[in-house]
Amino acid sequence: MSYFKQELAARLTKQLFPPILFCMTTKKYPLAVIGGGAAGMMALLRATLNNDEVLFFPGHFGVRKKSREMWINRVENMPTFAEYKKGIADPNRKTLKWILDCEFKENVHHMKGLGVTKLKKNDDGTFTLVDNEGTEYLASYVILATGCMDVQPMIGGSHQAILPYANAQKVEYCARCDGHHTHKQHTVILGHGAGAASVASLLAERYRHPSMTILTNGEEPGWDDDRKIILEKYRIDVNKKKIKEIVGEPKKGDLQGFRFEDDSLVQATYAFISLGMILYNELALEVGAEVDDRGFVVTDKIGHTNIDGFYVAGDLRAGIKNQIYTAWDSAVDSADHINARLRETKRTLILNNPDY
């Protein structure tokens, strides 16, 4: 039974039966948005402005601190975003505040500090969601926007060594977003696959570097001979030694270089990490959504998966750029498509039922 059919049934039940029986009716929400990053916030904003009732799960802190939102500081490839100290988190907070104060605020159920740990597709076409405190919810449609995270390098036996420099944006992850920071800087790429070689050659073609080195951190390079020739032509060094430590001042985020187990040193004022991605696709897999060979969720052009009523927006979706503006666009497409389906259901009920 769809949301609006339930609403009609609830109204009729309220007229025919005592209020105590009416209160036992299970609450079903039209839409649940899971994830509080760029895609999740845009999905919430668009659905709110469409006047749809929304369950919004931004995620509990233990999960959110593993998201890109918590790592990214300045965003300089989006108009006006460079003014924010935290380039995704700050505008998201402002947007959420506006949503919770706007004329449609009664439609928004902000599940602050909660994320979804279980997701099930029911026989009637609805979805059961369970939050991290064990509470169950029912929704007709779901937009999943849990995103992804970059794999961090192991240095000195820990992933933690890189964090102070990443927070200071001396270690970067997206050449499209932050490649311009390397202009005229000693730069290294941490990685050993074809992606690391591609990032290195792209940066070399765009920006002037006094030096550039790929650090494989003890791994054998995994790129083909054609890429090897390009790296040689661009004078990009490849260092296969195991990294012992980062040289710099972590409290200031001042990166100076990388020292190896033989005590040799490669100078670097900027570094890019290219080790792959961690995809937060567990809920998508749980409902049986199709994923590609990397784990990104396969959708159509409006973010609809092979599971009816289940949509994916943002970085978790296959085939789109991992950018704020594409996250927004994908979220709008999904929210608008769900709104169209809700309106169609409502229209049918109104036209076919005189008691609506």
Side-chain angles (χ1 to χ4, degrees), residues 85-288:
K85 185 177 180 180
K86 296 287 288 183
I88 296 177
D90 287 348
N92 277 358
R93 278 192 287 266
K94 292 179 69 173
T95 300
L96 180 59
K97 183 178 184 302
W98 184 88
I99 290 171
L100 296 177
D101 288 337
C102 78
E103 62 179 309
F104 301 109
K105 61 185 178 183
E106 299 301 323
N107 282 342
V108 180
H109 304 275
H110 177 210
M111 314 310 291
K112 186 176 181 180
L114 294 178
V116 175
T117 58
K118 294 181 181 179
L119 183 64
K120 176 186 175 184
K121 179 70 182 287
N122 302 315
D123 292 339
D124 65 356
T126 61
F127 295 87
T128 297
L129 303 89
V130 181
D131 69 24
N132 49 283
E133 295 182 350
T135 304
E136 290 190 359
Y137 308 84
L138 203 61
S140 293
Y141 298 97
V142 172
I143 297 177
L144 184 67
T146 45
C148 59
M149 185 59 189
D150 302 274
V151 175
Q152 305 300 327
M154 185 73 74
I155 296 175
S158 171
H159 295 298
Q160 298 299 314
I162 205 76
L163 299 185
Y165 303 99
N167 290 334
Q169 288 194 289
K170 291 302 181 72
V171 172
E172 311 278 15
Y173 300 88
C174 175
R176 179 180 286 110
C177 302
D178 301 305
H180 56 281
H181 291 161
T182 69
H183 184 54
K184 297 183 178 180
Q185 301 289 329
H186 294 282
T187 303
V188 300
I189 314 298
L190 275 73
H192 53 273
S198 295
V199 169
S201 57
L202 181 151
L203 293 176
E205 289 166 349
R206 286 183 177 174
Y207 309 108
R208 296 171 59 190
H209 306 93
S211 69
M212 178 178 286
T213 307
I214 298 176
L215 309 181
T216 73
N217 198 17
E219 302 289 340
E220 283 298 316
W223 47 79
D224 58 26
D225 290 340
D226 289 340
R227 182 61 65 180
K228 182 179 179 180
I229 291 171
I230 292 173
L231 296 179
E232 291 173 351
K233 289 289 186 181
Y234 290 163
R235 295 181 174 83
I236 298 171
D237 294 329
V238 178
N239 189 318
K240 296 187 286 185
K241 299 175 184 177
K242 189 77 172 178
I243 300 171
K244 181 172 73 172
E245 62 181 356
I246 302 175
V247 178
E249 298 183 51
K251 291 184 178 180
K252 296 180 179 180
D254 180 23
L255 179 64
Q256 297 169 11
F258 292 81
R259 191 180 306 280
F260 304 93
E261 291 182 340
D262 64 356
D263 281 333
S264 60
L265 177 72
V266 167
Q267 183 181 3
T269 50
Y270 273 92
F272 269 82
I273 308 298
S274 183
L275 290 169
M277 307 190 83
I278 302 168
L279 302 174
Y280 299 130
N281 61 6
E282 295 88 352
L283 296 176
L285 295 173
E286 199 168 327
V287 295

